[in-house]
Amino acid sequence: MPSPNHNLASTARTPPPTMLRSGQPARPILLRLAHQPAEDPCDSVSGRFNVVHHRAWFGNDGEQSTRDVVRWYADDDSGAELMTQHPNFRFGVMRDFWPPGWLDDRDLSRAYRSTDWLRAQARLQNGHADRNTGLVAGIAALATWHSPGPPQRALAAQALADTSGLTGHPNTLDRAGRTGIALSATSDDGRNRHLLILHPSTGAVLAYERATLTPAGWRTGVYLLLLTHTHAKRRWWEPSTTHAPLPAHPGQLEMPRRSGVWLVPGEYPCTPEP
C-alpha cells in the first residue's frame, strides 16, 4: 500500500547517475508505445482521484535531501498530499489538501487533451527553457499527480516521438531495479542531461533524473522514482460512505481528521511496490 516512508535516513544519499548503454533514435521506440500501449493492472481500477506515490532525491551544493510523497488528484482540481522528508520535518508527516478548484493554478486537468496541450502543460509544470528537456522533465512532473490510462500514455509517447533530440536506451535500470526504456535529452549548452525512464510495454513513467556535467563526469541533481500509481474514490480521511461530490468550499467533510495511520485503503492499490 502506498504510504509515506517514515525512515528516509537510510535512503537519503543522492543516487549516482544512471548508467546508460549505447543509444539509438528514440522515435521508433516511442511510436510503438504510442500505437498500442499495453494495459497496466491499475487501468481497471476506478475512482475519481488519481493516487501517486513517489520518492525524490535532491542534491544541491553538497546538501542532500529525500522526500516521500503520496498524492491524490481529481479533475475538479481537488486533491491531497502526505509527505515526509529527510532531514526530518519538525512535525513528521506533513499533510495538505485542496478543495475543488484550489489546484486550478497548476492547470493539471487539461494536461492530456492533445499532444499540443501536453507540451504546453509540461512546460507549465517544469520551467526549463529547452524544448526537448522541458518536455521530458514536464512529463515526469505530471506523473507525480496523474495516473494516466492507455490513451493518455499513448499521447505522451506521441508527444515525445515528435520531439527531436531524444535518444532511446532500452534495458535501463531505475533505482528500484525495474527495467525500462530511458529517453535522454541534453540541454542546449550540453551541461544538463534529462533522463525519463518508461515502462517498456505500458509507457508509464518509472523514473526521472536530471544530472549536471562536471569535470568528474555526470552528477545527479534530482532523481524521481514513481513507486505506485492507481485510483481511489476518496482521500485518506474521507469515509467510505461518501459518494456525493464534495462542496466547493471547505467544510467538515473536506477537512482531514487526525489519524495515526497514513495508508491508502487496501482495496485501491493494484500494483505492489518494488
Side-chain angles (χ1 to χ4, degrees):
M1 282 185 259
S3 62
N5 190 321
H6 291 263
N7 183 22
L8 293 177
S10 62
T11 69
R13 186 175 63 88
T14 304
T18 300
M19 298 296 294
L20 296 176
R21 293 181 171 87
S22 58
Q24 61 189 70
R27 181 173 170 82
I29 299 173
L30 290 165
L31 287 177
R32 287 196 295 271
L33 283 176
H35 177 67
Q36 193 172 11
E39 289 192 3
D40 184 280
C42 288
D43 292 340
S44 61
V45 178
S46 62
R48 62 189 294 261
F49 287 101
N50 297 262
V51 183
V52 180
H53 180 196
H54 71 269
R55 185 171 298 159
W57 289 262
F58 305 92
N60 184 20
D61 296 329
E63 296 184 4
Q64 300 175 343
S65 63
T66 307
R67 290 181 184 174
D68 210 58
V69 182
V70 180
R71 280 178 177 160
W72 289 253
Y73 172 72
D75 286 341
D76 62 358
D77 287 322
S78 63
E81 180 179 275
L82 299 174
M83 179 173 65
T84 59
Q85 178 172 301
H86 178 84
N88 292 331
F89 281 122
R90 181 184 305 174
F91 303 108
V93 177
M94 298 293 291
R95 302 181 296 168
D96 206 348
F97 76 104
W98 299 275
W102 283 28
L103 286 168
D104 179 68
D105 61 321
R106 296 178 182 267
D107 217 16
L108 294 163
S109 63
R110 291 177 281 274
Y112 291 97
R113 289 190 175 184
S114 67
T115 54
D116 287 339
W117 270 103
L118 184 59
R119 290 188 191 94
Q121 299 313 99
R123 287 195 294 272
L124 177 66
Q125 300 305 313
N126 198 291
H128 291 281
D130 297 347
R131 180 176 182 268
N132 298 353
T133 61
L135 180 63
V136 168
I139 286 178
L142 286 169
T144 68
W145 293 94
H146 285 277
S147 181
Q152 290 77 32
R153 297 196 300 269
L155 194 74
Q158 185 65 59
L160 289 164
D162 293 339
T163 301
S164 60
L166 299 185
T167 303
H169 305 268
N171 301 314
T172 300
L173 291 178
D174 70 9
R175 203 184 186 200
R178 301 171 297 191
T179 301
I181 299 167
L183 307 172
S184 62
T186 305
S187 61
D188 291 342
D189 60 10
R191 295 189 65 250
N192 292 290
R193 184 185 74 182
H194 298 255
L195 200 67
L196 189 69
I197 304 179
L198 304 180
H199 190 282
S201 59
T202 69
V205 176
L206 300 179
Y208 163 78
E209 175 187 273
R210 188 184 78 227
T212 301
L213 187 61
T214 70
W218 292 106
R219 182 181 65 194
T220 305
V222 175
Y223 193 97
L224 172 68
L225 193 64
L226 278 299
L227 293 170
T228 301
H229 64 94
T230 184
H231 288 84
K233 296 180 177 65
R234 61 190 188 276
R235 292 164 288 190
W236 81 88
W237 73 90
E238 295 170 335
S240 59
T241 55
T242 300
H243 298 293
L246 297 178
H249 300 287
Q252 186 62 35
L253 184 62
E254 290 178 330
M255 294 294 291
R257 295 198 300 268
R258 292 188 177 277
S259 171
V261 180
W262 307 97
L263 296 176
V264 178
E267 66 268 25
Y268 295 139
C270 47
T271 54
E273 296 192 21

